[in-house]
Amino acid sequence: MWKCQVCNFIIEAEEAPEKCPKCGAPKEKFSELTGEAKELVTKSRETNSLLMELADLMEEIEHISQEGIDINLDPGCLSLFEKAKEQSTLIKQSAKAEIETHIEKGKWG
Ligand SMILES: [Zn+2]
């Protein structure tokens, strides 16, 4: 795993690329990521993909909840669906914000 020191782009390969695919910096600008740094990148990528999965599921819950709210059978059901919608929106937004933080830091590609 290699990291461009200019733009933080990360590439998984045996050797550093001739040129950075993102910013065009030459091979010498790449440093190899090993050990803990490499593990951190891997963990961060896995976490980002889990966060995205979570956000998608929350969106599904929002839709289901909205249907329940629209049907409005009785106050108990309405309140449950409203609660579910509120919580799923919150979790979805938090997950997306977390992903954005990771991307902004540019640390982990
Ligand atoms: Zn670069």
Side-chain angles (χ1 to χ4, degrees), residues 4 6-9 20 22-25 30:
C4 172
V6 178
C7 71
N8 293 320
F9 184 80
C20 175
K22 195 176 162 195
C23 74
F30 277 85

Side-chain angles (χ1 to χ4, degrees), residues 41-87:
V41 171
T42 308
K43 275 184 172 179
S44 167
R45 285 183 172 177
E46 282 170 2
T47 302
N48 276 356
S49 105
L50 288 175
L51 285 170
M52 271 189 264
E53 220 175 296
L54 193 64
D56 285 346
L57 284 173
M58 289 303 133
E59 201 163 293
E60 215 176 306
I61 295 173
E62 279 182 295
H63 290 148
I64 292 168
S65 306
Q66 189 56 55
E67 276 182 49
I69 290 167
D70 291 343
I71 293 171
N72 192 7
L73 177 65
D74 57 46
C77 288
L78 184 63
S79 140
L80 175 64
F81 284 125
E82 278 174 346
K83 199 167 155 190
K85 193 187 173 191
E86 196 183 306
Q87 305 268 332

Side-chain angles (χ1 to χ4, degrees), residues 4-19:
C4 172
Q5 297 302 308
V6 178
C7 71
N8 293 320
F9 184 80
I10 287 168
I11 197 158
E12 266 176 276
E14 285 290 303
E15 276 186 61
E18 286 306 317
K19 256 184 9 174

